[in-house]
Amino acid sequence: MTTVLDVQRFKDDGRRFAVLTAYDFLTAKILDEAGIPVLLVGDSLGMVVLGHPTTLPVTLDDMLHHAKAVARGARQALLVGDMPFMSYHASVEQAITSAGRFVQEAGMHAVKLEGGGRVIEITRRLTELGIPVMSHVGLTPQFVHQMGGFKVQGKTDAQAAQILADAKALEQAGAFSIVLEGVPSQLAARVTKALHIPTIGIGAGPGTDAQVLVLHDMLGLTTGKAPKFVKRYANLAEEISRAATSYSDDVRKGTFPGPEHEYSANGSAPAKDREEVKYGPG
Ligand code: KIV
């Protein structure tokens, strides 16, 4: 099983690694079996699965529900649960309780928190208590209203210096890795050089130790235009639409179900016709 020590070793050995988001049992199982070493149950769930315009409406209960499903599907990957908006903002105690639920109830191995500032102390307390923390700086979607939209961060010298300072303080507080989202490539490379822990980039160029993408974006399982930083490795939205249309045509024409999809009456039925009726991934 991949641990936080392994991801540190990846950086120490100069081995880049891939991180993907996962939100359900089956995709977690597929990604885990494909050898993705770190799976993030991201609060992007709110946007790509639940249909919200931002991640802000996502609740701790939403996250735990999906995290539990991911934990049932994955065997090898390091599982990271994303702490949603307002699950760690009120106090350090609230953060400990929320993070504890990710580990104790949902089977996560670590949690992710957005931001520096007050989150630095929360990071220190969680790691002291044995809950590994993945940090997240730069474009932090839970700050969407403060940023005035989903905008690239760290373009000015002052912003870049703040991001670097936050990253160093989060490392100092015990974070085992840090997501750098939506920042100029040069800044991401600079932060990566300055830190001992691995950096995980998204929209941060090629100079980080790892990359993360939202699963639905890289699978082409979205209806809108993908952001510039996304590479599409499949076009599942088109594939699903094509399959659904063919199925509908078959039903209308009466060509589905065919003889191979039928059951016979019991009694004289051959063994293959007495098989269990079962749905799902098996
Ligand atoms: O919620 C999420 O999926 C994330 C990643 C984009 C890093 O935070």
Side-chain angles (χ1 to χ4, degrees):
M1 207 200 84
T2 307
T3 69
V4 295
L5 301 183
D6 293 317
V7 298
Q8 183 60 54
R9 210 164 294 131
F10 294 160
K11 169 146 185 166
D12 296 343
D13 295 349
R15 287 162 58 191
R16 289 176 205 275
F17 59 98
V19 179
L20 279 172
T21 63
Y23 314 99
D24 65 72
F25 167 80
L26 184 57
T27 45
K29 187 169 189 302
I30 294 168
L31 300 176
D32 189 62
E33 288 173 0
I36 301 298
V38 183
L39 295 179
L40 169 67
V41 187
D43 64 356
S44 49
L45 162 82
M47 298 172 79
V48 297
V49 177
L50 303 179
H52 295 300
T54 69
T55 59
L56 303 184
V58 177
T59 65
L60 183 57
D61 284 343
D62 291 334
M63 290 303 299
L64 292 173
H65 181 72
H66 287 266
K68 286 177 193 174
V70 167
R72 286 193 286 270
R75 289 282 161 274
Q76 296 301 322
L78 178 74
L79 303 180
V80 183
D82 207 0
M83 300 265 276
F85 187 58
M86 286 301 140
S87 68
Y88 56 102
H89 300 62
S91 64
V92 173
E93 286 66 34
Q94 186 210 20
I96 293 170
T97 306
S98 302
R101 293 190 66 190
F102 268 109
V103 175
Q104 199 166 38
E105 293 175 31
M108 296 291 101
H109 308 126
V111 293
K112 178 168 83 58
L113 284 79
E114 290 186 13
R118 261 182 9 88
V119 174
I120 295 165
E121 181 52 23
I122 296 172
T123 301
R124 189 183 327 281
R125 292 290 296 282
L126 291 179
T127 52
E128 271 171 14
L129 295 171
I131 302 179
V133 172
M134 175 183 283
S135 299
H136 184 162
V137 297
L139 194 173
T140 41
Q142 290 174 14
F143 291 75
V144 60
H145 296 314
Q146 195 148 327
M147 294 182 301
F150 296 103
K151 296 194 173 137
V152 174
Q153 301 294 300
K155 283 182 153 184
T156 66
D157 287 350
Q159 271 186 359
Q162 186 61 55
I163 289 170
L164 180 60
D166 280 341
K168 284 182 175 168
L170 288 160
E171 173 176 270
Q172 202 62 38
F176 78 91
S177 62
I178 184 160
V179 171
L180 303 177
E181 177 167 359
V183 296
S185 307
Q186 300 83 343
L187 174 60
R190 203 167 132 216
V191 175
T192 301
K193 259 191 150 169
L195 298 189
H196 301 291
I197 58 172
T199 57
I200 304 166
I202 173 162
T208 53
D209 300 304
Q211 296 288 329
V212 58
L213 282 176
V214 169
L215 184 69
H216 291 55
D217 285 343
M218 62 85 77
L219 292 180
L221 191 50
T222 55
T223 47
K225 192 169 167 283
K228 178 180 176 182
F229 62 81
V230 171
K231 177 170 175 184
R232 284 202 160 147
Y233 289 83
N235 206 333
L236 292 197
E238 266 181 38
E239 195 55 15
I240 290 172
S241 173
R242 193 200 51 72
T245 308
S246 303
Y247 163 66
S248 175
D249 288 349
D250 278 357
V251 171
R252 276 190 284 104
K253 286 187 278 186
T255 50
F256 173 81
E260 69 276 31
H261 307 117
E262 290 182 67
Y263 295 105
S264 318
N266 273 333
S268 63
K272 73 179 175 51
D273 288 347
R274 280 185 254 120
E275 70 202 49
E276 229 184 306
V277 177
K278 196 165 179 292
Y279 308 105

